[in-house]
Structure formats: C-alpha cells, structure tokens
Amino acid sequence: MTHTETIATPRSGAPLPSQTHLQRLEAESIHIMREVAAECRRPVMLYSIGKDSSVMLHLARKAFFPGNLPFPLLHVDTTWKFREMIAFRDETARRDGLELIVHTNEAGLRDGINPFDHGSALYTEVMKTQALKQALDAHGFDAAFGGARRDEEKSRAKERVVSVRSQHRWDPKRQRPELWRLYNARTTAGETVRIFPLSNWTELDVWLYIHLERIPVVPLYFAKPRPVVRRAGGWIMVDDDRMRLDAGERFELRKVRFRTLGCYPLSAGIESDAETLPALIREMLTIRTSERQGRLIDHDQPSSMEQKKRDGYF
Amino acid sequence: MREGADASAAEVERFVREYSAKPLVRLVICGSVDDGKSTLIGRLLHESKALLDDQRAALEADSRALGTRGGDLDFALVTDGLTAEREQGITIDVAYRHFTTAARAFILADAPGHEQYTRNMVTGASTADLAVVLVDARKGVLTQTRRHTYLLSLLGVRRVVLAVNKMDLVAYSREAFQRIETDYREFCAKLDVADVTCVPIAAVHGDNVVARSAAMPWYSGQAMLACLDAAPTGADLRAQPFRLPVQRIIRPNQDFRGVAGMIAGGAVCVGDEVTVMPSARQSRVAAIFVGDRPVGGASAGQSVTLTLADELDVGRGDVLADPGAPPATADQFQATVVWMQDRPLLPGRTYLMKLGTQTAMATVAPLKYKVNVNTLEHVAARQLDLNEIGVCDLELSRPVVFEPYSVSRELGGFILIDRLTNDTVGAGLLHFALRRSQNVRWQRFDVDKRARAALKGQKPCVVWFTGLSGAGKSTIANLVEMRLHALGCHTYVLDGDNVRHGLNKDLGFTEADRVENIRRVAELSRLLVDAGLIVLVAFISPFRAERRMARELVEPGEFFEVFVDAPLQVAEARDPKGLYKKARAGELKNFTGIDSPYERPEQPELHIDTMTAAPVQAAELILERLRTAGVIPPG
C-alpha cells in the first residue's frame, strides 16, 4: 500500500488515486473507534482472540498511533478455550504492552457448568453471556467494542455500528437510526453500548487484510494433523483430557483447521490442506459454506442468534 | 509439487491484488416486498455467489416451510432476518448485505418501502453512492416510487437505476416498459436526479439481472449488474477544498501532538497551510500519518493524524480547512428535518445536535411547512410526527462550522438527540445560515444583573412551581410573594392563566403550543432575573424537557423547582375552576392528567406533598429553602 504516498493536493493540480475498498473499510473502522473513544466515558475492547479480534486490535493501534490504546482489553474466559488461544492471547498482550483484563464466571465454575453436561445453550448463557455482564458491571464500562460483522448471520445484517443495550439486553425495536458517519453512543443509567467497528467487513475482507498487513493470528486457523472426533457433521478437537467421547466415538488424527474459534468442544473444524495464508485464501475462494456453520451454538434452536442477542450474548 | 505451490501462491497474490483494489460502492435498494425487492436481492446475492451452500440449504428448508412459491426457492426469505419480521412477512429495518462483482465491491442497504418507514429509507440513503428503485411492471410508477425518488434526491443520491420488475407478468412487453420509463424520467426531471438508467427485469427467473435475457430481445441496454458496475457514483469529494473535522487530539508525550480525524473533503500535503475553524488561526502541516505510516499527502475518506508546525489550541469539533476557502460558521440555520420517533417534534423544544464531530444545543423554531412526501406539496404544520419531513429554522447554543448539505454530507448532515432518553430522534440537512445570525449581535450594557440586584439588596432567582391544575401552585405562590414582599424583597409572579391573557393569548393547549408557552415564560423569567427580581412562576409545565430548558437559561443556583404534588383524584376533587369536569365531559381537549401527560420532576429542589402540608406550611418550607440558599437573609 505504498502508492498513496505520493499524492498531491488539487492546489497543485496533480491527480489523486482512489481508495480501494479495504482502505475505505480500514478508514471507517478507525473513524468509529476514535468517535467512541472521544465520546464514551469508559470504553473497553472485547478481545476474543480470534481473527476478527486480531484485525480489530490492529486497527485500534493504528487509530491511536503513536499513543497507547485509550481503553483496556477484556477477555471472557470460559476455561474451555483452546490452549493455543490462551497462549496467543498472553503473547499478544505481552508483545504489544496491552492492559488485558481476564474474567471468568466464578459461580459458574464452582457449579461445574460445562458444555458436555449442560448443553451449549445453558453453558453459553452462564459462562459467556452472564460472565460478560459481570465483567462490564464490575468495571463500570459504558461501551464495549466487539468484532462482529454483518455478513456473519441473518439477524446481524440489521445490527447497528453502535448498538444500545438496556440492562445488557438488546431490543431490536429500540435501536437508533444511523445516518452518514454520525454515531450516537450516549447512554443513560442502566444502558451500555456495544460498538462494532468491523460491521461492514466480510470474512474474505478480514483474511485479505490479515494477509496484506501481516497480522498475527492463532495457528489453529491453519491446517495441521490434530486429534479429532466426528460430531454433528464437523470435527471436534480433543484439546485436553476433559473431552468426553460418546459411545461409538473414537478419536483419530486428521488434518483440520478452524474457520472460527471459541470453546473447543463447540468449535467444529473442517478438513483442509491450507497450511499457509495464501493456501487458506485460495481455499476460501472455493469453499461454499459460511463460517458460522462451525459454531454449534447457532443451531440449537430456531432463530437462536437473535434470541441470544436479546439475552445479552455478544 | 514445489512449482505447483508457487504457481498457486502467485495466483492467490494476483487475486488479492485485484480484489483488494476494487472500489467500494454503497447502494440502496428502494421498493416494497410487493415489487419483488427481496426476491431481487436474494437473486443478486445468489448469482454473485455471495450465498453459500449452508445458507442455500437453509433457504431451501425455509422455502418449503414458509415460502410462497410452492416449494421453489423463495429468495425473499434470504433477506428477512428477524423472527418478528419473518412471522409478519415484512422487513422492518435497514439491513446491510455484501456482494462483489467483477468490477466493484458492493454494500447494499435494504430499506423497507412502506410509507411508515421513511425513517429507514432516509437512513439507508444517507450513506449511498447509488440507488436502485424497483417498480412492478404491471403497476408502473406509483406514489411510493415518487416518494422514494424524492427522498433519494433530498439525501443527495443523484444516480438511480430504475428496475422494472415482473416483466414476465406483462408478457415481456416493450410498450409497457417504455411507458414506465417515460413516466419516470418525466418525474425525475422535476427533481435533482442527475442520471437515470432503466432496466426491464424478471427477478424471479433472473431475466436481465446478471445476463441479458433472450425473452426481451428488444432491450438493447445492459443487464442490471453491468449497470451497477458502470454507474458513476457521484461527485469526487477529493476535488473539494480541504476539510478535516477533528475527532480527538493524540498526545502520547510532550513531543507529539496529533490532530486525528477523517478527511471530509479535498486533500492535504505536508507543508500545506491550514486554517483552524472557528478560531481562524493558521499553521502549516508538519507531518501526516495514515495509521502508523507517514505519508506525503492524503485525501477525502482517509482517516489521518496530522501534526502542525505551531502549537495551536485545537480540539474535538474544530475543522482544519484550506485557508483559501474556509467553511463558514453560524448559529442560526434553515434546515430540513426528518422526524424519526413516535413522540412528535415540538418547535420550541431543545435537542442535542450532532454535526460532524461538533455537538451543540439546537432549538427548533416554528415550522415553515411540512412536505407531503407523496405529492411533494408544502403543508402548514405545528409539529412533525414520526416519518414526517419539515422545513424550519434552528437556533444553536453556539456557532458551529458548517457547509450546506448540497456541498457536504459531512458538514451539512446532522442528527438530533433527545436530551432525556439520548435516543436519536431526528435527522436533518442544513441549507443556509440565516442572515440575522450574522447581523444580530449581542449589545453589552454597563449596568448588569449584579448592579441591578445590588441596588435592590437581593439575590435574584426563579422559583418555578410545577404540578397538576388544582394542585395549589398559584395559592402557594401568592403566599410566598406576600411573605417576601413583607421582607422588603422585589418580586414578580408569572401565573399560567394570567400570561395567557396577554403575551401568550395566541397559544392553545396542544403539545406544541404548550412547549412554546413555556419557552416564552422561561425567556421572560430570564429577563426578570436579569432585572434583579425574584420571579415566582406558577405553571403546570408538564414536560421535563421544558423545565430543564428554563433551568438552563439562568445561572446555576438561580433556579428552584418546586413540585406542588397532589394526586390526580385529589386535584380533580378540588377542581376550583371546574376544568376537570369539562375535560371529563370531553369539552376540553389536551387537559393535563386527563388526556395529556404530566411528567413528574425527578430531582426538584423542593417536593411539597399537599396531602400533608397546608399552603401556609408549604410557603414556610419554600422561604426556609430560599434562606438556606442565601437568596434572603437568615430568619
């Protein structure tokens, strides 16, 4: 991206190059982050360790360069994330000198809530949704950046960049109209806002940007032989000895990678040979399924994502 | 193997280069479900391969369960996202979707078409470079087609592709298409729509959507996707004079002070002179960063951080500009306002206005007219309801840097925010500054409020009595004034009924008139405080927003809100003027407590419960409060 460096103003009469769509998306995301940082009392960035979080963090560092981020990062740790994710998280925070808050729902942990015994719906409610509410309340955050995109899922296509939550709940009828580049992140007592700076990015945009900007991501996105079991049409990785096998299930070594990362018992991998970023992009161009299919929690009831959002899931 | 991997990597690099270089175009599609809009969008996503296998599988399942096409793929179901909408079979909000063609990456805003969704249409159009207007070939140009086109021209979307859909249902008739095209072009000639392309399609079958259709050999133009790829996307903002609305100052240490923002117009190079508006001080650009990368120059649409050669006082809300053509500042404007919430826009009420990175308080002057969005007629109006559009003057609490909306969306488009709920309640377009804003200046006089108050030996203030009719406001105000008078204080009582005999005799009791009623009384109170008086105001004043406005007109500590609290049934039983009886009989409209709301004060200086405190005791409580505040000497 060096060709923009030689442009001149119309005052000198020289021609100007146009912005490409990735440059326009980058500029928009930076603008959104700067608006929120200027107008909100105490923002936080929800850092989920995935590729979207990596891009969001990279954009935030650009937005406030050469200063530090004017907000901390928050990771809601269910204790069931892939081990490689936690290692990547800690390495990123150390390398970039970030203020990282890690929160776990201790009550849920005490009650032994887990994805095997309690089902994905209850487990997600307790260890993710409730945990997030606890952390936001405990620190008094009034705005939380998230890496969600509108292309991920139907109910997200109508999500605002600035999404108002009353008592953490999302009411589709109370969302504020967003015109031009004017965002309204003002809150009254009991309200918080979620901010989605990547709203207009697609999955392909995210990967191309990672490629062009050389942004580090968790190695789980790339194919490698991993111990897995076949479950609900996907490959579930056996990341530690807490993994339980159903009758008739057995693990095997398969070359798989993950398109989305979350809790390992709920994130299905796909068989793949894409060991590198170019190979991954090449595979994406031929792949014909959407990334959320790898998330088992989206399929547990009809219109399940919309319901989760109403309850306060990110 | 090695060679194969290299070739494949080279292929990916080529793809990345081509794909990432595609310009981003924002498109708004206007039409209703009846016109086949959802079907067209589903078709566009499907044909441009934006619809993936699992989404297609879900669509197949949905089509069997919910579809209206007898089990065939019902593309309309792709776009109906929320459960409530799917059950009702309508789309109620703007949805954003992506698709990519050979030439461009599109973000499509899908705006519902029904009349009550003007709000959504305007929202979708506000960011659009280009629009598709959909009509049903059997019905032709309808009222809603005109409404959509008017809204597009209002929001400055000047390139339109007219898609004449359902050509299969008019036997692919050339005459039918040409009649609609002629009608539409005639209508557009009256509006500011620069460029119209008309395409006959049948979205259900895909005719002329992606490829030219054999069913319409008489059509010599391009298929719809090719039109979208070829359409010009509007004026180049980079050709305008330089404008940078400042978002924030980045100051990591003493040596670096960066001015951060997105360039709204024009371009800037290192070494350029810039003017900081509104202070009009000048400096030179020392460095430009796009993210963490230093660059020689940058232009409209880029998020940048600039450093200046001189230490100037620059902050959020300022605008850096070309010194040869700086933008103007003003505090009074004529504007078009689109109202976006259930409670009406009331002239006289104060809202927060956000314009670029500036925020100010804006008071709406009486409406000049509202626009009938179907006929474009101007209609007299006292208020604006949800989805209505009107033209009015705005008075701001301070000057702002602006440009007319027709020149700049960034410095001419604004939103209005309710100060109590913080909801975005309206959007507007600035047209021009009012001359009086530049010609009327505040004249200073040497004898001021302090001098006048000192002569009277008192501290002026407003004691604002609010409560239901019959609560006892005037009775208590009368007692308080008698006590103050006896103490040698200079006072004046403004009473709701009395003021309506003179100053406000032109006002009725609608919500809009009530707001204006209070605005005038609040301004009058401010003048009387300026004259050095203790002002007692006894008005029902049912709305929090106006009481807050009255409070903010005087200095902190000068306003005492007294809530004269009587339960409705008690006030109604007292009914000293027989008004409740009339209101219950339907002879009196908009009566507070009966068919018009009373918003209780949340934090009054004094809350008087008239069930336990008699008027004499209430007056004593108020005098005590005024003593504590130092308004009158200790007892």
Side-chain angles (χ1 to χ4, degrees):
Chain A
M1 292 192 190
T2 52
H3 56 280
T4 52
E5 291 175 16
T6 54
I7 60 168
T9 68
R11 283 181 249 172
S12 63
L16 302 163
S18 325
Q19 261 180 306
T20 68
H21 84 274
L22 283 182
Q23 288 168 337
R24 197 163 155 183
L25 291 172
E26 177 191 75
E28 179 188 69
S29 301
I30 289 174
H31 175 260
I32 292 165
M33 290 184 184
R34 287 172 170 176
E35 279 302 286
V36 172
E39 295 214 318
C40 289
R41 190 173 37 78
R42 185 150 163 72
V44 65
M45 176 171 284
L46 297 183
Y47 179 70
S48 71
I49 320 175
K51 62 183 190 303
D52 304 302
S53 282
S54 287
V55 166
M56 187 162 63
L57 179 59
H58 184 80
L59 290 165
R61 292 173 60 79
K62 286 194 176 196
F64 304 105
F65 175 88
N68 293 324
L69 298 194
F71 40 75
L73 268 56
L74 169 66
H75 178 231
V76 173
D77 192 347
T78 60
T79 72
W80 289 91
K81 301 294 172 191
F82 290 90
R83 284 173 297 167
E84 280 184 79
M85 291 173 71
I86 301 301
F88 180 88
R89 176 195 74 190
D90 294 342
E91 166 60 17
T92 301
R94 190 196 56 72
R95 185 189 59 229
D96 295 345
L98 303 168
E99 182 189 348
L100 172 72
I101 300 167
V102 176
H103 179 83
T104 299
N105 183 350
E106 295 298 337
L109 207 58
R110 249 194 332 273
D111 296 343
I113 304 291
N114 68 69
F116 300 111
D117 298 319
H118 302 94
S120 69
L122 177 69
Y123 163 76
T124 303
E125 162 64 23
V126 174
M127 296 310 286
K128 290 173 93 169
T129 309
Q130 285 182 17
L132 174 62
K133 292 178 191 174
Q134 288 168 354
L136 294 179
D137 288 343
H139 296 273
F141 294 123
D142 59 339
F145 292 100
R149 308 185 318 269
R150 284 176 179 146
D151 79 321
E152 279 177 61
E153 205 268 343
K154 267 188 195 176
S155 79
R156 285 214 161 128
K158 303 187 178 193
E159 182 60 281
R160 305 295 196 276
V161 171
V162 174
S163 177
V164 183
R165 310 291 160 107
S166 306
Q167 309 304 332
H168 297 305
R169 289 170 62 89
W170 180 70
D171 177 357
K173 291 205 174 8
R174 265 214 61 204
Q175 298 304 311
R176 298 165 177 169
E178 283 178 349
L179 296 100
W180 302 295
R181 290 201 180 96
L182 296 173
Y183 303 103
N184 174 3
R186 305 178 75 89
T187 50
T188 44
E191 286 180 344
T192 55
V193 285
R194 304 285 193 274
I195 318 286
F196 302 113
L198 304 184
S199 285
N200 285 325
W201 295 59
T202 65
E203 187 188 11
L204 186 57
D205 294 330
V206 165
W207 279 120
L208 294 188
Y209 189 70
I210 287 170
H211 178 63
L212 289 169
E213 299 276 312
R214 303 178 194 285
I215 301 169
V217 291
V218 183
L220 289 162
Y221 285 113
F222 303 111
K224 189 175 121 177
R226 294 184 167 99
V228 290
V229 295
R230 188 81 179 154
R231 196 172 279 181
W235 294 103
I236 301 294
M237 180 168 155
V238 182
D239 194 51
D240 58 36
D241 54 16
R242 293 179 297 173
M243 177 72 187
R244 294 188 208 161
L245 296 188
D246 293 339
E249 280 184 340
R250 57 184 179 81
F251 41 123
E252 50 191 304
L253 214 54
R254 292 259 177 177
K255 198 167 179 186
V256 297
R257 67 178 190 86
F258 295 85
R259 294 182 68 196
T260 60
L261 295 178
C263 300
Y264 79 81
L266 298 175
S267 303
I270 53 168
E271 284 196 85
S272 165
D273 281 321
E275 296 173 14
T276 63
L277 204 42
L280 184 151
I281 290 167
R282 190 182 156 75
E283 189 181 275
M284 269 210 70
L285 297 176
T286 48
I287 212 157
R288 299 291 302 154
T289 55
S290 68
E291 60 187 317
R292 290 203 76 85
Q293 201 184 34
R295 294 202 179 175
L296 302 186
I297 58 167
D298 285 358
H299 305 296
D300 49 16
Q301 53 185 286
S303 299
S304 58
M305 179 57 83
E306 184 189 347
Q307 190 56 47
K308 286 201 176 66
K309 280 179 69 176
R310 285 172 182 265
D311 295 340
Y313 176 69
F314 209 76
Chain B
M1 180 65 203
R2 188 69 248 160
E3 263 172 43
D6 285 350
S8 154
E11 184 193 336
V12 168
E13 283 306 322
R14 191 167 58 245
F15 168 79
V16 170
R17 227 177 13 254
E18 282 169 12
Y19 180 87
S20 59
K22 285 178 189 181
L24 181 67
V25 176
R26 299 195 64 144
L27 174 70
V28 60
I29 294 206
C30 328
S32 72
V33 178
D34 305 334
D35 306 321
K37 182 182 59 159
S38 302
T39 307
L40 174 63
I41 294 172
R43 175 68 68 178
L44 281 174
L45 299 184
H46 177 63
E47 300 280 358
S48 67
K49 311 238 183 324
L51 210 56
L52 301 164
D53 287 348
D54 55 331
Q55 291 170 335
R56 194 186 155 100
L59 174 61
E60 281 168 8
D62 285 352
S63 297
R64 280 191 298 276
L66 304 162
T68 54
R69 310 212 59 83
D72 285 350
L73 282 189
D74 186 348
F75 285 112
L77 295 171
V78 175
T79 55
D80 295 347
L82 304 179
T83 314
E85 296 176 1
R86 287 169 66 159
E87 281 161 7
Q88 292 163 27
I90 51 159
T91 44
I92 55 174
D93 214 336
V94 190
Y96 297 89
R97 296 168 208 292
H98 298 77
F99 65 95
T100 310
T101 63
R104 291 175 168 178
F106 286 94
I107 296 177
L108 180 159
D110 172 9
H114 295 286
E115 185 162 7
Q116 60 269 41
Y117 300 128
T118 291
R119 167 175 77 169
N120 297 332
M121 241 307 301
V122 167
T123 302
S126 74
T127 50
D129 306 303
L130 182 67
V132 171
V133 174
L134 204 59
V135 299
D136 183 330
R138 296 168 303 174
K139 297 177 186 160
V141 175
L142 296 178
T143 301
Q144 73 156 15
T145 318
R146 295 193 193 95
R147 180 172 71 242
H148 292 153
T149 309
Y150 163 68
L151 294 176
L152 290 171
S153 78
L154 180 71
L155 272 289
V157 184
R158 303 178 65 235
R159 321 277 160 174
V160 174
V161 174
L162 181 78
V164 181
N165 192 21
K166 306 197 181 182
M167 287 300 293
D168 53 327
L169 300 183
V170 294
Y172 298 106
S173 155
R174 177 180 198 163
E175 290 67 35
F177 173 73
Q178 284 176 336
R179 200 165 50 242
I180 293 169
E181 174 166 14
T182 308
D183 280 359
Y184 190 69
R185 287 190 186 280
E186 262 174 35
F187 178 70
C188 286
K190 296 183 217 161
L191 297 169
D192 191 20
V193 179
D195 184 288
V196 179
T197 310
C198 303
V199 190
I201 63 169
V204 170
H205 309 296
D207 292 296
N208 281 341
V209 175
V210 175
R212 292 270 304 278
S213 164
M216 290 170 272
W218 46 263
Y219 173 65
S220 57
Q222 291 174 303
M224 208 172 123
L225 265 191
C227 291
L228 295 181
D229 271 350
T233 55
D236 191 343
L237 293 176
R238 294 169 304 160
Q240 296 187 349
F242 173 62
R243 305 281 183 257
L244 177 71
V246 178
Q247 287 187 279
R248 63 186 275 130
I249 302 301
I250 295 176
R251 186 160 211 183
N253 54 54
Q254 290 300 311
D255 305 327
F256 190 95
R257 188 179 160 83
V259 179
M262 183 186 267
I263 302 177
V268 66
C269 282
V270 172
D272 281 354
E273 291 283 332
V274 290
T275 294
V276 180
M277 295 302 290
S279 72
R281 300 189 60 178
Q282 296 202 3
S283 184
R284 216 165 21 77
V285 176
I288 304 173
F289 295 86
V290 174
D292 48 3
R293 201 162 36 89
V295 295
S299 60
Q302 288 187 285
S303 280
V304 296
T305 302
L306 306 186
T307 60
L308 300 177
D310 309 283
E311 279 252 348
L312 291 190
D313 186 18
V314 184
R316 179 171 170 83
D318 288 342
V319 178
L320 268 52
D322 179 348
T329 61
D331 60 2
Q332 292 187 46
F333 299 94
Q334 187 170 114
T336 295
V337 173
V338 183
W339 200 242
M340 300 190 154
Q341 77 153 8
D342 298 329
R343 296 175 55 186
L345 165 82
L346 301 173
R349 184 162 282 184
T350 303
Y351 300 90
L352 275 181
M353 178 204 229
K354 200 171 170 193
L355 171 72
T357 58
Q358 307 170 91
T359 303
M361 240 103 80
T363 307
V364 180
L367 289 160
K368 297 188 182 304
Y369 57 84
K370 65 182 179 188
V371 179
N372 178 324
V373 291
N374 294 324
T375 61
L376 312 191
E377 282 171 326
H378 296 179
V379 186
R382 305 210 71 163
Q383 64 179 46
L384 279 187
D385 290 318
L386 175 65
N387 290 310
E388 290 192 326
I389 296 176
V391 171
C392 61
D393 291 347
L394 291 176
E395 292 169 26
L396 273 51
S397 56
R398 60 180 188 84
V400 293
V401 183
F402 80 102
E403 287 190 293
Y405 184 80
S406 57
V407 172
S408 167
R409 278 180 173 180
E410 310 292 330
L411 287 174
F414 63 88
I415 54 172
L416 295 174
I417 298 171
D418 186 286
R419 297 172 60 210
L420 296 174
T421 63
N422 282 324
D423 287 334
T424 301
V425 292
L429 324 169
L430 293 180
H431 299 310
F432 50 82
L434 298 177
R435 289 274 291 279
R436 65 171 182 265
S437 156
Q438 280 136 27
N439 296 338
V440 180
R441 290 268 178 271
W442 186 263
Q443 190 68 46
R444 284 192 62 85
F445 291 95
D446 289 328
V447 177
D448 62 6
K449 177 166 71 180
R450 280 178 59 171
R452 295 184 199 106
L455 193 64
K456 296 181 179 69
Q458 65 185 42
K459 196 176 156 196
C461 69
V462 179
V463 182
W464 189 284
F465 297 81
T466 173
L468 294 172
S469 174
K473 299 180 296 297
S474 300
T475 308
I476 299 171
N478 183 43
L479 290 171
V480 172
E481 185 173 38
M482 285 164 64
R483 295 285 306 276
L484 289 171
H485 191 77
L487 288 168
C489 298
H490 297 255
T491 57
Y492 197 82
V493 176
L494 294 170
D495 176 80
D497 285 347
N498 294 358
V499 171
R500 281 183 180 274
H501 278 91
L503 177 65
N504 289 358
K505 72 176 168 191
D506 57 325
L507 299 176
F509 290 88
T510 63
E511 215 174 333
D513 279 359
R514 282 167 168 244
V515 169
E516 174 62 12
N517 187 36
I518 300 301
R519 188 192 69 82
R520 289 185 199 173
V521 170
E523 286 286 355
L524 181 54
S525 312
R526 187 179 66 83
L527 289 175
L528 295 179
V529 166
D530 201 48
L533 297 177
I534 296 171
V535 192
L536 309 173
V537 182
F539 272 67
I540 297 173
S541 47
F543 307 126
R544 282 186 201 117
E546 279 63 57
R547 296 195 299 261
R548 179 166 167 182
M549 181 261 297
R551 177 187 293 274
E552 286 170 357
L553 281 177
V554 293
E555 286 173 40
E558 287 183 342
F559 192 88
F560 299 87
E561 186 173 358
V562 178
F563 178 25
V564 184
D565 189 4
L568 178 61
Q569 56 273 32
V570 174
E572 187 167 356
R574 291 178 192 155
D575 205 6
K577 300 168 198 162
L579 298 175
Y580 284 97
K581 206 170 151 200
K582 281 191 187 169
R584 289 289 184 197
E587 295 162 30
L588 210 53
K589 291 285 174 217
N590 302 315
F591 194 73
T592 301
I594 307 295
D595 57 351
S596 182
Y598 178 79
E599 299 171 355
R600 294 167 65 90
E602 283 170 338
Q603 287 178 308
E605 272 71 12
L606 210 57
H607 182 167
I608 294 185
D609 182 355
T610 62
M611 299 297 285
T612 56
V616 180
Q617 292 168 297
E620 190 47 54
L621 285 171
I622 293 165
L623 257 80
E624 189 51 48
R625 184 73 181 76
L626 294 178
R627 262 186 215 107
T628 322
V631 171
I632 52 175

